[in-house]
Amino acid sequence: MSDAFRELLKRVGSGTHTSRNLTRWEAAEATRMMLTQEATPAQIGAFMISHRIKRPTGEELAGILDAYDQLGPKLQPIASTHPVTVLGIPYDGRSRTAPLSPITALILAAADCPVIMHGGDRMPTKHGIPLIEVWRGLGVNWALPLDQVQTVLEQTGLGFVYLPYHFPLAQGLVPYRDQIGKRPPLATVELIWSPYAGNAHVVAGFVHPPTETMFTETFALRGANQFATVKGLEGSCDLPRDRTAIIGIGQPGGQVPLERLLLSCRDYDLAGKDVPLTTTTQLLEDIQSVLQGQPGEMMQSAIWNGGFYLWRCGASLDLQSGLAQAELLLTSGQAHAKLQQLKASVSAFVAVPS
């Protein structure tokens, strides 16, 4: 048992009237002791549920990220025209709507806007389809050593930090999510974590407005101002078409409030329905159809998302031109060619005996 961790646990778990928020340093220490299993399983589970009930603060999230920076993986800076975009998407996946971010990532990479994604396998509490399964279905297996992922990122403009291979300390905490039956604050941190050592543009999905406020406070404390928040599909970075997209843009110097964007696809002749998630097989067929330039609801959603992110990443001057560029990248086969390049780059390592 860790006596030091027990003191931190008492501070967050003492109830409504006597518990108190942790300092940034204390939150970092608590996270470090959980990641390294210096704290006991009973202590870790108690801390996770107590911290969730108390609700984390921006300062505590900053401390958790400090520990992630200390103990977690980092892809190294690459030469690029545009900053690397890191997409913060819930690790427990999707269960109702089709994930669009792999298509978005291919569109961006085809326009020389590099992208890093991160996540794990099927994960509690939702156990939805994770990004790693979508990529595998597209022929891309990210189960590579980190230095090989680095090479793929440099060659193709796409990278993926896969928890079981690249951050086993964090993977060791996944079973606690199932055992406590709730997402712990670590699940919130994953939305704003950047496993990249260079200049990154972090995009964080969220569901509840208080979460966005915490994100803003955390980014300000960590001196980050190149970020965006998206009230996306199932808490992801995917812009919806069934409703107005609510987006926050980080201000220079970390100033608050965020610049607010309210975007309706109806204003750009892209009105329609969000594509439902049925089966993995159907999802992969739909993605391949979009990459082959075939029209349909998913194509419209891909253009809506791709156009916004091309604009946000600086590849297009405005949203309208971004939408036109996204459509061209899809219908001309350039996004599909990027997938083929990615598959070849990854396969070159998979084929090499260890």
Side-chain angles (χ1 to χ4, degrees), residues 150-173:
Q150 178 75 37
T151 300
V152 173
L153 175 63
E154 293 169 355
Q155 292 176 346
T156 69
L158 284 165
F160 193 102
V161 172
Y162 179 38
L163 236 63
Y165 272 59
H166 307 135
F167 200 178
L169 295 180
Q171 178 67 20
L173 296 179

Side-chain angles (χ1 to χ4, degrees), residues 216-233:
T216 305
E217 294 171 353
T218 304
F219 282 127
L221 286 168
R222 287 174 57 84
N225 54 53
Q226 193 169 217
F227 68 92
T229 60
V230 176
K231 187 175 173 61
L233 297 175

Side-chain angles (χ1 to χ4, degrees), residues 146-329:
L146 192 66
D147 63 333
Q148 295 180 1
V149 175
Q150 178 75 37
T151 300
V152 173
L153 175 63
E154 293 169 355
Q155 292 176 346
T156 69
L158 284 165
F160 193 102
V161 172
Y162 179 38
L163 236 63
Y165 272 59
H166 307 135
F167 200 178
L169 295 180
Q171 178 67 20
L173 296 179
V174 171
Y176 293 92
R177 303 184 185 207
D178 198 25
Q179 293 165 21
I180 67 176
K182 291 290 184 179
R183 290 186 181 122
L186 290 178
T188 302
V189 166
E190 288 155 1
L191 301 173
I192 52 176
W193 177 46
S194 174
Y196 180 67
N199 182 25
H201 163 224
V202 179
V203 183
F206 74 95
V207 175
H208 305 296
T211 302
E212 184 187 38
T213 301
M214 283 192 296
F215 287 169
T216 305
E217 294 171 353
T218 304
F219 282 127
L221 286 168
R222 287 174 57 84
N225 54 53
Q226 193 169 217
F227 68 92
T229 60
V230 176
K231 187 175 173 61
L233 297 175
E234 298 184 55
S236 74
C237 301
D238 292 345
L239 272 61
R241 291 172 62 223
D242 275 352
R243 58 174 170 81
T244 298
I246 301 173
I247 299 157
I249 304 297
Q251 297 296 293
Q255 299 175 21
V256 292
L258 298 172
E259 177 187 349
R260 180 64 68 200
L261 296 179
L262 302 175
L263 301 178
S264 172
C265 58
R266 286 181 171 78
D267 296 335
Y268 299 89
D269 298 323
L270 289 169
K273 297 291 184 180
D274 294 320
V275 180
L277 179 62
T278 53
T279 65
T280 301
T281 299
Q282 185 62 56
L283 170 65
L284 294 171
E285 289 178 359
D286 289 345
I287 292 175
Q288 292 285 11
S289 176
V290 170
L291 294 175
Q292 292 165 9
Q294 300 300 313
E297 289 294 340
M298 184 171 281
M299 171 64 84
Q300 298 291 85
S301 293
I303 292 171
W304 179 233
N305 277 269
F308 167 75
Y309 283 106
L310 286 169
W311 171 43
R312 173 60 189 155
C313 294
S316 298
L317 293 177
D318 53 39
L319 179 53
Q320 189 67 63
S321 60
L323 297 172
Q325 185 179 2
E327 184 174 12
L328 179 61
L329 289 168

Side-chain angles (χ1 to χ4, degrees), residues 86-104:
V86 178
L87 297 177
I89 296 169
Y91 284 5
D92 57 3
R94 301 280 280 274
S95 61
R96 302 187 305 276
T97 54
L100 303 165
S101 53
I103 304 176
T104 301

Side-chain angles (χ1 to χ4, degrees), residues 133-149:
E133 285 190 21
V134 179
W135 282 116
R136 283 174 180 155
L138 294 174
V140 181
N141 186 354
W142 290 107
L144 303 170
L146 192 66
D147 63 333
Q148 295 180 1
V149 175

